[in-house]
Amino acid sequence: MDQTGVSAEVPKSPWGSVKTGTPSCSLADVMSEQLAKQLDDENTLFPERKDPVPDLLLSEDTCDTTSDLVLAQMLQMQFDREYDDQLRREEKKFNGDSKVSISFENYRKVHPYEDSDSSEDEVDWQDTRHDPYKADKPQTTPRRGFVGKGKNITTKHDEVICGRKNTARMDNFAPEIHVGDGLGMDLKLPNQVFNSLKQHCYSEQRRSARLHEKKEHSTAEQAVDPRTRLLMFKMVNSGVLENINGCISTGKKSVVFHANGGSLEEEPVPNEVVLKVFKTTLNDFKNRDRYIKDDYRFIDRFSKLNPRKIIRLWAEKEMHNLCRMKKAEIPCPQAVLLKKHILVMSFIGEDHVPAPKLKDIMLSSEDMKAAYFQVLHMMQQLYQKCKLVHADLSEYNMLWHQGKVWLIDVSQSVEPTHPHGLEFLLRDCRNVATFFRKRGVTEAMTMYELFNAVTGLNLSICDEDEAQFVAQVTHTHLNTCYIYLNVCQVNLHLNTCYIYLSVCQVDLSVQKLPIITNVIINVDKIHVNI
Ligand code: ADP
Ligand code: MG
């Protein structure tokens, strides 16, 4: 029964059944449980409004058409679709056959992503084997050289395919060449452009390799190339050195480092040592070889070695010479260890401070005089006892330490019998005489007197005529017969040792070979391999 008593005819509505105005009711009705339940049931007629968009995409017959809101949204959606269709038609008309096309995508009402399931966005991982942003590589043409049939045939020479392939091939360029995402842009690189890019890439690579090499070379210039560094680390690791502190000097021939000694075969190494690293670059090698090439101690090995290994001979030569000098009690560093082109020797100085060179120190006249006489004595000892000529003796290679002069840098020292030995000695005498005279030592002999005093020769000094003196020195040299003997075989028979010698070099400037009455074999050690 109609409680309101209004029996107006309900108009038919295309939107479905429409409820007319709210009926008035008494307080008792309002309070009734029955009415409350009825109102509750009416409420449930409305669809849930949680996420209307996906529902709108459902087919029309599954939609609930009782809600105005849903209907309005459905209509809006319909309108949007039609709008998009129109837009697509306009886009097509606008672009026509043009190669450059303009997209109206941004003006569309229904965007493709709105259709997608939003739950996909929640994926927080990605399969990195496939880069979704990276365009696929162009398909390769089969071996027969074409694809398709009849009219649709595409050969491997097709401009577009070639262009795409060229773009893909840019991936093979060196990593430091940034090629960008050509594939993504569908870049079609003409052959000519690709070839010149390729050429540029190769020449860049070669240039950078050259630069790199130069860099390595320049470290070698500082003598600590990677191999040297490794040798130095090994010395620390093996405990021979405790640590390497820093560089004392970088000269033409070597780099000298200060280090703290550890122990070598349970023998303690001096607390302060230097590492003399002979330079592995061969820049001034040509000048150096005259000191070693004609030294009979190395003559056999010199001819067989490559230049890099000859550098090691320098270190070895310095070690041998230092040992000889130590035996003759000449103040000099004590050789500790030789590793390839690195010579470890005792440090002349104190608390990391190397002793100053004679050239750098201002001594009192007494000290200077004492230094001069000491140098004279050392030169004599070196020549007569050690059978050595320093060959680079000057105020640069003499250190002042504990009130006396110490001789260093004897890698180039040779025996007096060396073809240029006496010339080198004369040069040493000139350096020493000039220095001490300049420093006010009036007792300092002239270079000629000094030469005679050191060698014990009595060459005439006429008016200090250098040319005449040098001629005498050269003559003295010519009258010396140099025969280099090579141990070619050693046989051990009971207690007797037979040493077979072969002549390996004769100084051809000697016209007549004198009869050899005495052969002195000057060898430190003979290694016999049985
Ligand atoms: P180069 O052959 O490069 O001239 P040196 O043997 O003369 O090499 O050494 C260069 C410098 O290193 C020297 O002038 C000296 O200052 C320092 N030096 C070399 N050996 C020692 C050492 N045993 N103790 C202290 N300083 C040294
Ligand atoms: Mg030197």
Side-chain angles (χ1 to χ4, degrees), residues 238-241 261-269 336-339:
S238 64
V240 176
L241 302 179
S263 63
L264 176 63
E265 289 166 4
E266 292 175 13
E267 290 285 311
V269 170
V336 176
L337 174 73
L338 175 73
K339 270 265 180 283

Side-chain angles (χ1 to χ4, degrees), residues 358 361-374 400 435-436 439-441:
L358 268 197
I361 192 161
M362 286 313 292
L363 293 178
S364 66
S365 55
E366 259 127 73
D367 278 347
M368 198 47 104
K369 192 170 142 190
Y372 169 72
F373 283 111
Q374 197 205 327
W400 183 255
F435 173 73
F436 282 102
R439 290 289 168 107
V441 181

Side-chain angles (χ1 to χ4, degrees), residues 253 290-292 295 297-298 314 317-318 320-322 324-325 382 386-393 397 407-416 418 421 424 428:
K253 287 182 289 178
R290 65 197 287 246
Y291 292 90
I292 209 162
D295 192 325
R297 296 173 291 171
F298 298 90
W314 280 90
K317 204 164 182 267
E318 173 135 15
H320 285 309
N321 292 343
L322 284 177
R324 276 197 200 184
M325 287 161 72
L382 200 64
C386 308
K387 298 270 178 281
L388 283 176
V389 170
H390 189 288
D392 193 14
L393 191 64
N397 286 328
L407 288 191
I408 57 160
D409 199 2
V410 287
S411 57
Q412 70 292 314
S413 302
V414 293
E415 297 221 341
H418 184 283
F424 294 151
D428 285 354

Side-chain angles (χ1 to χ4, degrees), residues 180-419:
D181 182 18
L183 286 177
M185 291 189 286
D186 196 19
L187 190 72
K188 293 153 202 118
L189 219 56
N191 286 346
Q192 204 186 351
V193 177
F194 172 74
N195 285 336
S196 45
L197 278 177
K198 193 167 97 178
Q199 197 57 44
H200 172 75
C201 168
Y202 286 162
S203 53
E204 270 300 294
Q205 252 179 305
R206 275 202 302 275
R207 195 178 66 90
S208 95
R210 265 204 309 275
L211 277 181
H212 189 65
E213 216 171 67
K214 214 171 174 184
K215 214 169 125 202
E216 278 296 289
H217 201 71
S218 71
T219 38
E221 186 58 23
Q222 300 300 311
V224 276
D225 54 359
R227 267 191 254 175
T228 310
R229 239 174 288 147
L230 191 69
L231 277 176
M232 288 163 73
F233 282 136
K234 274 187 183 169
M235 285 187 195
V236 176
N237 281 348
S238 64
V240 176
L241 302 179
E242 253 178 24
N243 47 336
I244 298 169
N245 302 314
C247 176
I248 297 176
S249 127
T250 35
K252 266 193 292 179
K253 287 182 289 178
S254 65
V255 181
V256 179
F257 293 93
H258 180 273
N260 288 112
S263 63
L264 176 63
E265 289 166 4
E266 292 175 13
E267 290 285 311
V269 170
N271 181 33
E272 288 190 90
V273 288
V274 296
L275 265 76
K276 185 165 176 176
V277 182
F278 285 82
K279 286 194 169 178
T280 49
T281 45
L282 311 170
N283 293 349
D284 57 304
F285 178 73
K286 280 211 164 59
N287 301 333
R288 289 204 239 166
D289 70 351
R290 65 197 287 246
Y291 292 90
I292 209 162
K293 170 175 105 195
D294 295 326
D295 192 325
Y296 77 90
R297 296 173 291 171
F298 298 90
I299 199 152
D300 188 37
R301 290 160 66 195
F302 184 85
S303 55
K304 288 176 196 152
L305 295 176
N306 67 33
R308 206 159 274 283
K309 288 201 174 145
I310 288 168
I311 301 291
R312 293 185 198 170
L313 286 189
W314 280 90
E316 196 181 323
K317 204 164 182 267
E318 173 135 15
M319 186 190 69
H320 285 309
N321 292 343
L322 284 177
C323 290
R324 276 197 200 184
M325 287 161 72
K326 265 277 160 225
K327 265 189 211 159
E329 293 175 357
I330 295 173
C332 67
Q334 166 94 51
V336 176
L337 174 73
L338 175 73
K339 270 265 180 283
K340 296 190 176 171
H341 58 289
I342 304 179
L343 178 63
V344 182
M345 55 183 148
S346 61
F347 178 66
I348 313 296
E350 242 175 63
D351 295 334
H352 297 224
V353 183
K357 296 175 197 129
L358 268 197
K359 92 167 182 50
D360 292 330
I361 192 161
M362 286 313 292
L363 293 178
S364 66
S365 55
E366 259 127 73
D367 278 347
M368 198 47 104
K369 192 170 142 190
Y372 169 72
F373 283 111
Q374 197 205 327
V375 171
L376 170 64
H377 181 65
M378 284 197 296
M379 286 175 84
Q380 287 170 330
Q381 295 289 92
L382 200 64
Y383 186 87
Q384 287 156 19
K385 272 200 180 173
C386 308
K387 298 270 178 281
L388 283 176
V389 170
H390 189 288
D392 193 14
L393 191 64
S394 72
E395 58 276 25
Y396 289 83
N397 286 328
M398 293 189 269
L399 305 183
W400 183 255
H401 179 56
Q402 294 171 343
K404 59 181 177 190
V405 180
W406 296 65
L407 288 191
I408 57 160
D409 199 2
V410 287
S411 57
Q412 70 292 314
S413 302
V414 293
E415 297 221 341
T417 52
H418 184 283

